[in-house]
Amino acid sequence: MCKKMLYCFISMSFFFMSFFSIGKTESVEYYSNRADINKVQVLVIQIPGVKRNAKEYNQQLAFLPSKKYLVLTPKFSFVSWPKSTFIQGNKSKTFPYHSSFSDLDHKIKSVLEIHHNIKKIIIVGHSAGAQLLQRYLALSNMPYELSLNKKYKTKFIIISPGTFMYFSKYRPIKNDHCPKFNNYKYGMEHLNHYGKKHADTIVSRYLSLDIIYMVGSLDIKRGGNLLKNCKADMQGKNRKQRSENFVRYLNDTYKQKNKLIILPNVPHNYKKVFQSHALRQVLLNI
């Protein structure tokens, strides 16, 4: 067991465990690359999809040079966050003072307290991980604080989420028979406990962040884990359409200049996403 150290490295393995306390002691598993912890300059937090297969996701970023990049991939417990509750930043079922968003807040803070050479921070989420990331960027004050800190350059990459959190009642597809369409996690009404902390500045903080949106050109199927309820379908019929609609909404409503990068010949497949030239260029050239 680590005593005062936040990291317990396991020999002959590419992952480590980290431990910290939020009200009560709970261990949170993070997978990592074989980073040179004395030289790393770039912190990458990679949030996996609904299967929470953190090990497999982490392996997809093996192309990043370990002398420069520290890659951390959290594995959210199915016991603590059943179904999709981890996406929304809800409280843990096993530790009620602990949410998946506060987990990320504490992890980022603890890493930066140890690694003083870090100058750049990237958080990338794919699929369910992108749903979590988009809502985390809206509700957490941590990304905003990091973006204001001149010590760091920050970038956030949202890839192929199933749904988005909208900041108004506008939806690209109308449905008069969907009364809860603007409830959180789809909109701003009935925010959870975490979201209520900074509710009055959600929109301004989110719009100030450097966010890149990506989606595969072939991510157009309605099968698998894609949500198909009325709240989700008001955003579009598939992940590609929903990403296109959300970016257009931001640009039209808030006079933004967000870009959506279409990954050629990429379906809803995390391996193909992380093998794509466009994503690798962003990660390597931040």
Side-chain angles (χ1 to χ4, degrees), residues 141-149:
N141 206 44
M142 175 67 76
Y144 178 69
E145 290 177 349
L146 292 173
S147 71
L148 294 180
N149 192 327

Side-chain angles (χ1 to χ4, degrees), residues 66-260:
S66 58
K67 289 185 177 180
K68 182 178 179 182
Y69 288 79
L70 172 61
V71 182
L72 304 180
T73 309
K75 184 172 184 178
F76 295 100
S77 164
F78 282 99
V79 175
S80 296
W81 291 283
K83 298 182 179 180
S84 63
T85 56
F86 79 108
I87 292 172
Q88 304 172 62
N90 287 358
K91 292 180 179 179
S92 165
K93 294 293 185 182
T94 52
F95 291 86
Y97 299 104
H98 186 165
S99 82
S100 52
F101 288 178
S102 61
D103 183 308
L104 288 174
D105 288 341
H106 282 259
K107 173 53 62 180
I108 294 169
K109 182 179 179 181
S110 65
V111 171
L112 296 179
E113 286 176 348
I114 292 176
H115 300 294
H116 301 290
N117 292 327
I118 289 177
K119 299 178 175 64
K120 300 175 182 179
I121 302 167
I122 304 171
I123 307 182
V124 54
H126 171 252
S127 192
Q131 292 193 62
L132 183 153
L133 176 57
Q134 195 257 337
R135 287 144 179 99
Y136 176 70
L137 296 180
L139 302 190
S140 174
N141 206 44
M142 175 67 76
Y144 178 69
E145 290 177 349
L146 292 173
S147 71
L148 294 180
N149 192 327
K150 295 182 179 180
K151 181 180 178 180
Y152 305 115
K153 180 178 180 181
T154 59
K155 191 173 293 291
F156 310 101
I157 309 172
I158 295 172
I159 311 171
S160 305
T163 63
F164 290 88
M165 176 185 176
Y166 275 68
F167 306 126
S168 68
K169 290 187 176 182
Y170 167 82
R171 295 296 185 275
I173 299 172
K174 293 184 178 181
N175 185 341
D176 295 331
H177 304 287
C178 192
K180 297 182 180 180
F181 77 95
N182 203 42
N183 284 3
Y184 185 73
K185 66 178 184 177
Y186 302 92
M188 295 275 283
E189 297 177 15
H190 302 290
L191 295 172
N192 63 14
H193 73 291
Y194 187 97
K196 291 177 181 178
K197 296 177 182 178
H198 308 288
D200 56 335
T201 57
I202 285 175
V203 178
S204 60
R205 286 185 289 107
Y206 186 90
L207 296 178
S208 72
L209 301 175
D210 185 358
I211 303 175
I212 293 177
Y213 301 87
M214 295 184 178
V215 69
S217 66
L218 302 181
D219 203 343
I220 55 177
K221 294 184 178 180
R222 281 180 62 80
N225 294 310
L226 182 72
L227 287 172
K228 296 178 279 290
N229 58 50
C230 67
K231 301 181 288 291
D233 278 349
M234 288 178 71
Q235 300 185 14
K237 296 302 182 183
N238 55 58
R239 291 181 180 86
K240 181 172 181 288
Q241 192 178 100
R242 291 174 188 179
S243 292
E244 292 170 337
N245 287 339
F246 183 75
V247 171
R248 187 181 302 113
Y249 156 74
L250 289 181
N251 292 343
D252 291 348
T253 305
Y254 302 103
K255 311 304 178 185
Q256 294 273 292
K257 295 182 179 179
N258 296 285
K259 292 183 179 179
L260 175 64

